[in-house]
Amino acid sequence: MSKTVMVVDDSASIRQVVNFTLKKGGYDVIEASDGVDAMDKLKGLNPFNGQKVNLIICDVNMPNMDGITFVKNLKTTPNHRFTPVMMFTTESQDSKIQEGKAAGAKAWFVKPFKPEQMLDAVSKLIM
């Protein structure tokens, strides 16, 4: 059974590229346009029907709900508290990275990315 990755980014073109990369790696993909959209989609999943997100790849700077706020909210939900999150962003300042880790992010990936590097990181986080 393939693993499911949610990609949360306000840029449709970024979501498309990441989606393509993940599908080539054998993953199912759910896309969300920001933190609010992602929370709504996660609430709609039914874990009893086997619908489970194994990893979330999330941008930091987004409208409506930014990535750090999204991770903080995610970690308060019983069904997704232990779902690993990889921040995927142009931000590379230590303060932002520390803020992300404090919120509960497991990894920090800086754009632009190499597909092999992303798939390698995803496979490590999903194990």
Side-chain angles (χ1 to χ4, degrees):
M1 194 166 127
S2 62
K3 304 277 189 189
T4 301
V5 179
M6 176 178 270
V7 178
V8 186
D9 199 305
D10 56 319
S11 163
S13 58
I14 295 284
R15 286 196 313 270
Q16 197 174 16
V17 170
V18 175
N19 187 334
F20 180 76
T21 300
L22 292 168
K23 282 191 171 159
K24 271 180 53 180
Y27 298 99
D28 290 330
V29 180
I30 299 171
E31 293 185 21
S33 56
D34 60 40
V36 174
D37 186 32
M39 290 305 289
D40 287 345
K41 286 182 172 161
L42 287 167
K43 280 182 199 136
L45 292 179
N46 184 344
F48 302 108
N49 290 345
Q51 288 182 296
K52 179 183 188 303
V53 171
N54 303 97
L55 172 71
I56 298 170
I57 297 175
C58 185
D59 188 15
V60 171
N61 299 313
M62 299 180 287
N64 303 320
M65 185 190 293
D66 68 272
I68 307 272
T69 306
F70 166 73
V71 174
K72 287 178 183 167
N73 284 347
L74 180 78
K75 295 302 176 184
T76 66
T77 61
N79 287 347
H80 307 289
R81 186 178 18 220
F82 301 111
T83 304
V85 179
M86 177 196 306
M87 302 311 287
F88 180 56
T89 178
T90 54
E91 300 280 350
S92 57
Q93 302 95 320
D94 275 344
S95 60
K96 269 288 184 210
I97 294 170
Q98 291 315 314
E99 193 183 348
K101 292 212 159 131
K106 291 278 178 260
W108 197 273
F109 217 77
V110 179
K111 299 171 188 171
F113 72 103
K114 290 190 172 75
E116 319 76 60
Q117 283 179 320
M118 173 170 277
L119 288 173
D120 188 44
V122 166
S123 70
K124 284 186 177 113
L125 285 167
I126 264 184
M127 295 205 325

